[in-house]
Amino acid sequence: MAGELVVVVNPTARGGRGIRSLDPVLARLRAGGREVSVLIGDSAADALARARTAVAAGPAALVAFGGDGLVHLAVQTVAGTGVPLGIIPAGTGNDIADALGIPRRDPLRAADAVLGGRVRVIDAARISPGSRWFAGVVACGFDSRVNERANRMTWPPGMSKYILALVQELRSFTPIPFTITIDDQVIKREAMLVAVGNTRSYGAGMRVCPDAKPDDGLLDVMILAAMPKTAFLRAFPRVYKGTHTDLPAVQILRGRTVTLDAPDTIAYADGERVGPTPIGCSVEAGALRVLVP
């Protein structure tokens, strides 16, 4: 498989609409003179197993065609191996690609970066218990509870489900007592949410950790302290520009290891369910090689 590009595909990206650009992307890659194989799993677990087998054979790159969830899956297979990761954004958010300067709405330009771009060495972080990696953001608090609620809903479809879940969760939500350990510093605080960022954004452009750098050997920790719901709603739009960090309720800290503990709270990483806290996050500098423009 030396020299081969292995493209792992999420056929349900953007509700199945993302797959429409797969054939043009494959044609662009092959027109660049590369041998290309396509990997589609029967399930996420099957796709992960197939991707691990492909990476073990030493391809030129593993290319994730999908959104942040598929990038998250691909990271599990390439982190620490030296095999480069290519990203063809075809999901709803594409926040990891955007943080790395990969065109988030132009799959063909992203394909050109796979063919002729450079390798950028960036960090990734491990989650404990277990050995899961993440490359983007861990979310814990109000946002993860919205995800939990939305994942239990069968209607409405698409992003409308998350908007409805947000409204419903806000009605009953109360601040969560967190214990946050950053390296040797322990913080006990009621908070609306806590985000741990290797990159700056999640949720289709919410710059929750706007100054996070994926190659500085550190994780950014954004703590949004308890606040009235009306103030929370007023502050929420500011996250899309990253200006929420000026608010008195917001604190940004940095560290190499972060532990989050909050009762009855599930953590999500790169939009994927991790499980209940407590969880630990530990950055590993230079664990990923990514093809970028």
Side-chain angles (χ1 to χ4, degrees):
M1 291 181 67
E4 181 181 11
L5 299 176
V6 178
V7 180
V8 58
V9 176
N10 177 6
T12 64
R14 295 180 59 212
R17 297 188 303 277
I19 199 70
R20 298 172 188 168
S21 59
L22 177 60
D23 285 343
V25 163
L26 295 177
R28 179 68 66 92
L29 294 175
R30 288 172 176 142
R34 306 301 292 271
E35 182 182 353
V36 179
S37 63
V38 179
L39 187 163
I40 303 177
D42 297 329
S43 64
D46 183 50
L48 179 61
R50 290 171 182 257
R52 281 184 168 144
T53 298
V55 167
L62 182 74
V63 182
F65 179 94
D68 288 331
L70 189 67
V71 173
H72 180 80
L73 182 148
V75 166
Q76 310 312 307
T77 71
V78 298
T81 68
V83 173
L85 172 65
I87 302 174
I88 310 289
T92 302
N94 306 317
D95 288 281
I96 296 172
D98 183 61
L100 299 174
I102 298 168
R104 68 192 297 176
R105 301 297 182 208
D106 192 335
L108 292 180
R109 285 182 58 211
D112 289 339
V114 171
L115 289 170
R118 63 185 175 89
V119 173
R120 180 177 178 186
V121 179
I122 67 168
D123 309 331
R126 286 187 183 272
I127 298 172
S128 59
S131 58
R132 180 184 295 203
W133 295 89
F134 73 94
V137 178
V138 164
C140 192
F142 176 78
D143 43 3
S144 61
R145 289 189 177 178
V146 169
N147 261 327
E148 283 288 282
R149 184 182 290 270
N151 288 341
R152 293 192 296 267
M153 298 166 61
T154 58
W155 186 93
M159 287 299 295
S160 298
K161 177 170 64 175
Y162 290 92
I163 294 171
L164 180 59
L166 186 150
V167 172
Q168 292 177 347
E169 183 63 32
L170 190 63
R171 290 173 181 165
S172 59
F173 183 80
T174 57
I176 301 167
F178 274 88
T179 300
I180 307 156
T181 305
I182 305 172
D183 294 337
D184 296 327
Q185 180 182 8
V186 179
I187 300 166
K188 294 180 180 290
R189 181 171 303 166
E190 283 200 338
M192 307 297 280
L193 61 92
V194 178
V196 181
N198 183 52
T199 55
R200 66 192 177 201
S201 66
Y202 64 175
M206 291 190 286
R207 298 193 173 198
V208 65
C209 297
D211 297 321
K213 295 178 175 60
D215 55 4
D216 63 357
L218 296 171
L219 296 168
D220 281 32
V221 184
M222 193 283 292
I223 304 169
L224 177 61
M227 63 195 317
K229 292 178 182 178
T230 52
F232 178 67
L233 287 173
R234 287 196 303 269
F236 180 75
R238 297 180 60 170
V239 75
Y240 286 96
K241 293 185 177 180
T243 58
H244 62 291
T245 57
D246 296 333
L247 297 170
V250 173
Q251 184 178 15
I252 301 281
L253 299 168
R254 292 186 176 91
R256 290 180 172 81
T257 62
V258 181
T259 301
L260 303 179
D261 192 0
D264 302 318
T265 304
I266 301 295
Y268 277 69
D270 302 336
E272 301 297 302
R273 194 180 196 270
V274 171
T277 65
I279 65 161
C281 306
S282 179
V283 70
E284 294 200 16
L288 282 175
R289 293 163 56 84
V290 186
L291 297 168
V292 301

